Amino acid sequence: MNAPLERITSETEDTAATWDNLSPLLVDIRARRNEFARAQKIPDDIIEGFKRVGVYRAMAARRFGGEERTPADFCRLIEQISEADGSAGWVASFGDGARYLAALPDDTLREVYANGPDVVLAGALFPLQPARRSTDGFVVNGVWPFASGSPGADLIGVGIIVEDDPTGGLARVAVMPAEKVTIRPNWDVIGLQGTGSHDVVVNDVIVPEEWTLIRGGPPTLDAPVYRYPSVTFAAQAHAIVGVGIARSALDEVIAMAGSRASITGAPVMAERGYVQLEMARAEAMLRSARAFFYEATEELWKEALKGAVTPNTATLMRLAATNAARQSAEVCNIASGLAGSASLYTTSNLARAMCDSFVVAQHAALNEGTLQSAGRLLLGSAAQPGFP
């Protein structure tokens, strides 16, 4: 059998900065992905591995010891981790939280990064829970679901709503030390089982106003990476997880195709016409979605470098992110179908890829509703709240 097609990369991608200690970490993640699913979380030693690689300092400001990497660099890192395991990639994608934190006041940021740039933020924003003002800030109570990565977080952010809050309809996020939050384990799902996306419970925690930020609001820090829109960046950091998962699924089929014979006496997979057709279709689908994703990323980044991001360019990025997530899920579905009974086992990477990619595409920032919102803007209608 001929060698698989080499992956095509752009000049920008070829010259992208490398990540220290990544290869050994990926080997470890691949070997332990069944462990992550059973534990319903990413273990602390893998979180420490993310810190060593630079996941959490990637988007942090240089003045606090961070690296201010480009969005494309960060997404390629998450893509590689997701190829090793979708849950690990999903939790690592929340390294984009440094972009959210950049909206905190400067003095608060000094406290956040007092011990270094490798600060792990997790949390859950919706539904927004009412908080009341006090002399010391906001009194926060409530339960928030889908708090991905919360078991390994240093800080937890939750969405609150305050009477007469002049946020312009944007969500206010209360940020607090993880030890002030109770994690309620209930993450029993079909995909991304290792993300630890449990409920978080907050009881009468007073959060000073200077420890709150406006999601999607203007950042305190001024650098190109902070002019890049935070909500758009969060959507694409999640979407690229699906791309990595889909790549691993196709590679799995390619690896088995040359030797896996049918129990019915049919030729090996690689010699079957329908397998050849479907593999070609899936490969084209994934590469096309990935190319659109990184093309839109570079266009948005160019605008951030110049100083101002336009709504249309941000909208195209949201469209590219949703497209990447949905096409990746379809690719995983094709790959699992081609593998037949081999993809039925719960420990199979193909079964995991199919379920993980489905969950990625179900995320509120990537589901079909975002396509409608993008279409509205592209056709000249007003943006819906929270988009792009």
Side-chain angles (χ1 to χ4, degrees), residues 165-177:
D165 199 1
T167 64
L170 300 175
R172 184 179 289 273
V173 181
V175 180
M176 63 198 78

Side-chain angles (χ1 to χ4, degrees), residues 220-264:
T220 302
L221 303 173
D222 183 24
V225 70
Y226 303 120
R227 294 194 288 269
Y228 198 93
S230 59
V231 176
T232 301
F233 186 40
Q236 68 182 99
H238 293 340
I240 200 62
V241 174
V243 174
I245 293 168
R247 182 72 263 165
S248 72
L250 285 187
D251 288 348
E252 188 96 359
V253 173
I254 291 169
M256 69 170 62
S259 59
R260 187 167 182 266
S262 170
I263 59 174
T264 64

Side-chain angles (χ1 to χ4, degrees), residues 132-337:
R132 61 179 175 84
R133 294 183 183 273
S134 74
T135 55
D136 298 315
F138 302 103
V139 182
V140 179
N141 286 279
V143 179
W144 290 262
F146 304 113
S148 298
S150 52
D154 302 311
L155 297 173
I156 300 286
V158 295
I160 61 173
I161 186 168
V162 183
E163 189 176 357
D164 299 325
D165 199 1
T167 64
L170 300 175
R172 184 179 289 273
V173 181
V175 180
M176 63 198 78
E179 58 265 25
K180 293 190 175 183
V181 176
T182 300
I183 297 173
R184 180 191 292 169
N186 64 346
W187 187 239
D188 187 10
V189 291
I190 64 168
L192 296 181
Q193 295 172 320
T195 60
S197 303
H198 305 294
D199 288 357
V200 290
V201 183
V202 178
N203 291 313
D204 288 331
V205 174
I206 298 175
V207 179
E209 185 163 1
E210 61 270 23
W211 279 84
T212 70
L213 59 91
I214 307 304
R215 178 178 180 261
T220 302
L221 303 173
D222 183 24
V225 70
Y226 303 120
R227 294 194 288 269
Y228 198 93
S230 59
V231 176
T232 301
F233 186 40
Q236 68 182 99
H238 293 340
I240 200 62
V241 174
V243 174
I245 293 168
R247 182 72 263 165
S248 72
L250 285 187
D251 288 348
E252 188 96 359
V253 173
I254 291 169
M256 69 170 62
S259 59
R260 187 167 182 266
S262 170
I263 59 174
T264 64
V268 295
M269 287 175 63
E271 299 303 321
R272 301 176 205 168
Y274 76 91
V275 174
Q276 296 164 358
L277 288 171
E278 287 295 277
M279 275 300 296
R281 184 166 75 92
E283 189 73 35
M285 190 183 300
L286 181 60
R287 290 184 185 232
S288 298
R290 185 177 185 273
F292 179 25
F293 179 93
Y294 282 112
E295 176 189 316
T297 303
E298 292 297 343
E299 287 301 311
L300 193 57
W301 178 239
K302 287 177 184 177
E303 289 193 350
L305 288 172
K306 292 176 182 177
V309 168
T310 63
N312 273 8
T313 308
T315 297
L316 281 175
M317 184 66 255
R318 289 297 303 270
L319 177 60
T322 297
N323 181 66
R326 296 176 69 80
Q327 295 290 76
S328 296
E330 178 59 22
V331 166
C332 290
N333 187 49
I334 292 171
S336 298

